[in-house]
Amino acid sequence: LIEKYSNSTQNNDEAYQLCLYYLGTQNYKMLEETVDEAERQLAETWVQCYIHKIGYLRGRLLEHEDKWKDALILYVEFLNYDPINYDLRTSIGQIQRLLGNHSQSIQMFSDLLKGDPMSGKLNFELAKTYYADGNRKKALEHLEIVLDIWENADPIYKLSIEVREKWTLWNQIN
């Protein structure tokens, strides 16, 4: 996979894009192999330039194995290398929700929304957290924001479909 790569920046970028491809296609076996091989073949430059991205990818692998506490520890550790990293912070908010730490999840997504209040994805994550915390009213408020943002979204857009399904489900519950 990475055998042809040297330590050039371009090859680091190619290795990272390949990792993102495997993550996007949920091919976790190939993702793990690619990260491992990039660390071996690209060595120091990969680790130095991509340290927070490696942490994100390794965390996603742990999530796939349902090792949420381990993933959270890893995300927090690697956040030290890039304290404003969107992917790491979003993942921390999601894991906090999965672990039942709703107030930390709400705080993380609220902080992220300060920089991008019209983010459909972040508003949806916050809605799911409020719902998990038992605050249906706040959950529906943020779901409405998402519906407004994605009003003209492609009807096959997966997140948009999920939002509409949640809207229907959450409004049926008394």
Side-chain angles (χ1 to χ4, degrees):
L1 299 170
I2 312 290
E3 293 172 12
K4 65 179 182 168
Y5 296 146
S6 65
N7 282 331
S8 75
T9 301
Q10 178 182 354
N11 292 332
N12 286 328
D13 290 340
E14 289 172 6
Y16 182 65
Q17 291 304 316
L18 187 57
C19 289
L20 291 180
Y21 170 77
Y22 290 134
L23 180 61
T25 58
Q26 298 180 349
N27 188 339
Y28 294 99
K29 183 180 185 310
M30 289 303 298
L31 172 60
E32 184 171 25
E33 289 177 13
T34 305
V35 173
D36 289 344
E37 192 166 337
E39 286 179 335
R40 280 192 303 277
Q41 296 292 328
L42 301 174
E44 200 170 307
T45 56
W46 167 261
V47 173
Q48 287 176 356
C49 297
Y50 289 81
I51 189 76
H52 62 283
K53 294 176 181 181
I54 293 169
Y56 170 69
L57 295 169
R58 293 272 184 217
R60 293 298 304 267
L61 289 166
L62 289 168
E63 281 186 56
H64 176 67
E65 298 171 4
D66 293 330
K67 296 180 180 177
W68 297 332
K69 288 182 182 179
D70 293 337
L72 179 60
I73 290 167
L74 193 66
Y75 289 144
V76 170
E77 175 187 339
F78 281 86
L79 194 62
N80 290 321
Y81 295 101
D82 186 5
I84 61 170
N85 185 279
Y86 176 87
D87 292 326
L88 288 170
R89 294 177 74 205
T90 300
S91 294
I92 289 169
Q94 292 167 332
I95 294 295
Q96 292 286 21
R97 180 178 60 242
L98 290 170
L99 292 173
N101 304 328
H102 301 134
S103 61
Q104 292 96 326
S105 179
I106 289 167
Q107 186 63 54
M108 182 61 76
F109 290 124
S110 295
D111 288 347
L112 283 165
L113 276 168
K114 289 176 186 170
D116 190 5
M118 297 308 292
S119 168
K121 182 179 179 191
L122 292 174
N123 275 288
F124 187 36
E125 291 294 341
L126 188 54
K128 291 188 288 188
T129 303
Y130 275 124
Y131 191 81
D133 194 40
N135 191 338
R136 191 169 137 241
K137 182 179 181 206
K138 290 287 277 184
L140 288 170
E141 286 175 18
H142 283 278
L143 213 51
E144 284 181 33
I145 293 169
V146 179
L147 288 168
D148 288 343
I149 293 168
W150 289 343
E151 179 181 13
N152 296 318
D154 189 326
I156 62 171
Y157 180 49
K158 183 180 174 184
L159 280 176
S160 178
I161 293 168
E162 188 179 349
V163 168
R164 290 190 304 271
E165 289 172 351
K166 294 284 188 207
W167 176 257
T168 302
L169 177 65
W170 293 354
N171 275 298
Q172 289 175 352
I173 298 170
N174 294 326

mmCIF file of all heavy atoms in Angstrom, residues 112-120 122-123 145 149:
data_model
loop_
_atom_site.group_PDB
_atom_site.id
_atom_site.type_symbol
_atom_site.label_atom_id
_atom_site.label_comp_id
_atom_site.label_asym_id
_atom_site.label_seq_id
_atom_site.Cartn_x
_atom_site.Cartn_y
_atom_site.Cartn_z
ATOM 1 N N LEU A 112 -18.416 24.120 19.814
ATOM 2 C CA LEU A 112 -18.153 23.996 18.381
ATOM 3 C C LEU A 112 -19.119 24.849 17.562
ATOM 4 O O LEU A 112 -18.734 25.436 16.547
ATOM 5 C CB LEU A 112 -18.234 22.532 17.943
ATOM 6 C CG LEU A 112 -17.036 21.665 18.300
ATOM 7 C CD1 LEU A 112 -17.376 20.187 18.158
ATOM 8 C CD2 LEU A 112 -15.845 22.020 17.432
ATOM 9 N N LEU A 113 -20.356 24.929 18.010
ATOM 10 C CA LEU A 113 -21.361 25.720 17.290
ATOM 11 C C LEU A 113 -21.080 27.217 17.335
ATOM 12 O O LEU A 113 -21.523 27.951 16.456
ATOM 13 C CB LEU A 113 -22.762 25.433 17.831
ATOM 14 C CG LEU A 113 -23.432 24.209 17.248
ATOM 15 C CD1 LEU A 113 -24.668 23.834 18.045
ATOM 16 C CD2 LEU A 113 -23.783 24.427 15.783
ATOM 17 N N LYS A 114 -20.327 27.669 18.336
ATOM 18 C CA LYS A 114 -19.977 29.094 18.396
ATOM 19 C C LYS A 114 -19.197 29.516 17.154
ATOM 20 O O LYS A 114 -19.347 30.628 16.675
ATOM 21 C CB LYS A 114 -19.163 29.388 19.663
ATOM 22 C CG LYS A 114 -19.981 29.315 20.925
ATOM 23 C CD LYS A 114 -19.110 29.508 22.154
ATOM 24 C CE LYS A 114 -19.925 29.284 23.415
ATOM 25 N NZ LYS A 114 -19.076 29.239 24.615
ATOM 26 N N GLY A 115 -18.392 28.612 16.632
ATOM 27 C CA GLY A 115 -17.614 28.909 15.433
ATOM 28 C C GLY A 115 -18.367 28.664 14.141
ATOM 29 O O GLY A 115 -17.968 29.144 13.088
ATOM 30 N N ASP A 116 -19.452 27.919 14.211
ATOM 31 C CA ASP A 116 -20.217 27.578 13.006
ATOM 32 C C ASP A 116 -21.672 27.299 13.387
ATOM 33 O O ASP A 116 -22.129 26.151 13.342
ATOM 34 C CB ASP A 116 -19.597 26.352 12.324
ATOM 35 C CG ASP A 116 -20.179 26.076 10.947
ATOM 36 O OD1 ASP A 116 -21.005 26.886 10.469
ATOM 37 O OD2 ASP A 116 -19.809 25.048 10.363
ATOM 38 N N PRO A 117 -22.417 28.355 13.778
ATOM 39 C CA PRO A 117 -23.777 28.153 14.285
ATOM 40 C C PRO A 117 -24.750 27.562 13.268
ATOM 41 O O PRO A 117 -25.779 27.024 13.651
ATOM 42 C CB PRO A 117 -24.220 29.549 14.717
ATOM 43 C CG PRO A 117 -23.294 30.498 14.064
ATOM 44 C CD PRO A 117 -22.031 29.760 13.787
ATOM 45 N N MET A 118 -24.427 27.619 12.000
ATOM 46 C CA MET A 118 -25.321 27.085 10.976
ATOM 47 C C MET A 118 -24.874 25.707 10.480
ATOM 48 O O MET A 118 -25.261 25.271 9.400
ATOM 49 C CB MET A 118 -25.427 28.064 9.806
ATOM 50 C CG MET A 118 -26.042 29.404 10.198
ATOM 51 S SD MET A 118 -27.629 29.238 11.056
ATOM 52 C CE MET A 118 -28.652 28.616 9.743
ATOM 53 N N SER A 119 -24.064 25.022 11.280
ATOM 54 C CA SER A 119 -23.636 23.678 10.916
ATOM 55 C C SER A 119 -24.778 22.698 11.179
ATOM 56 O O SER A 119 -25.189 22.498 12.327
ATOM 57 C CB SER A 119 -22.413 23.261 11.735
ATOM 58 O OG SER A 119 -22.173 21.869 11.589
ATOM 59 N N GLY A 120 -25.276 22.096 10.120
ATOM 60 C CA GLY A 120 -26.330 21.104 10.276
ATOM 61 C C GLY A 120 -25.847 19.912 11.082
ATOM 62 O O GLY A 120 -26.550 19.409 11.963
ATOM 63 N N LEU A 122 -23.402 19.702 13.370
ATOM 64 C CA LEU A 122 -23.213 19.997 14.794
ATOM 65 C C LEU A 122 -24.545 20.194 15.511
ATOM 66 O O LEU A 122 -24.717 19.737 16.645
ATOM 67 C CB LEU A 122 -22.321 21.225 14.975
ATOM 68 C CG LEU A 122 -20.859 21.038 14.569
ATOM 69 C CD1 LEU A 122 -20.113 22.358 14.665
ATOM 70 C CD2 LEU A 122 -20.182 19.966 15.411
ATOM 71 N N ASN A 123 -25.481 20.866 14.867
ATOM 72 C CA ASN A 123 -26.803 21.028 15.472
ATOM 73 C C ASN A 123 -27.489 19.674 15.640
ATOM 74 O O ASN A 123 -28.181 19.445 16.634
ATOM 75 C CB ASN A 123 -27.671 21.985 14.662
ATOM 76 C CG ASN A 123 -27.436 23.425 15.031
ATOM 77 O OD1 ASN A 123 -27.839 23.872 16.098
ATOM 78 N ND2 ASN A 123 -26.762 24.158 14.155
ATOM 79 N N ILE A 145 -33.604 23.533 13.603
ATOM 80 C CA ILE A 145 -32.518 24.306 12.980
ATOM 81 C C ILE A 145 -31.920 23.498 11.836
ATOM 82 O O ILE A 145 -31.693 24.018 10.732
ATOM 83 C CB ILE A 145 -31.441 24.685 14.019
ATOM 84 C CG1 ILE A 145 -32.006 25.680 15.036
ATOM 85 C CG2 ILE A 145 -30.200 25.250 13.336
ATOM 86 C CD1 ILE A 145 -31.113 25.919 16.248
ATOM 87 N N ILE A 149 -31.716 24.355 7.866
ATOM 88 C CA ILE A 149 -30.426 24.412 7.160
ATOM 89 C C ILE A 149 -30.441 23.483 5.954
ATOM 90 O O ILE A 149 -29.988 23.837 4.868
ATOM 91 C CB ILE A 149 -29.265 24.055 8.114
ATOM 92 C CG1 ILE A 149 -29.103 25.135 9.188
ATOM 93 C CG2 ILE A 149 -27.963 23.858 7.346
ATOM 94 C CD1 ILE A 149 -28.183 24.744 10.327
#
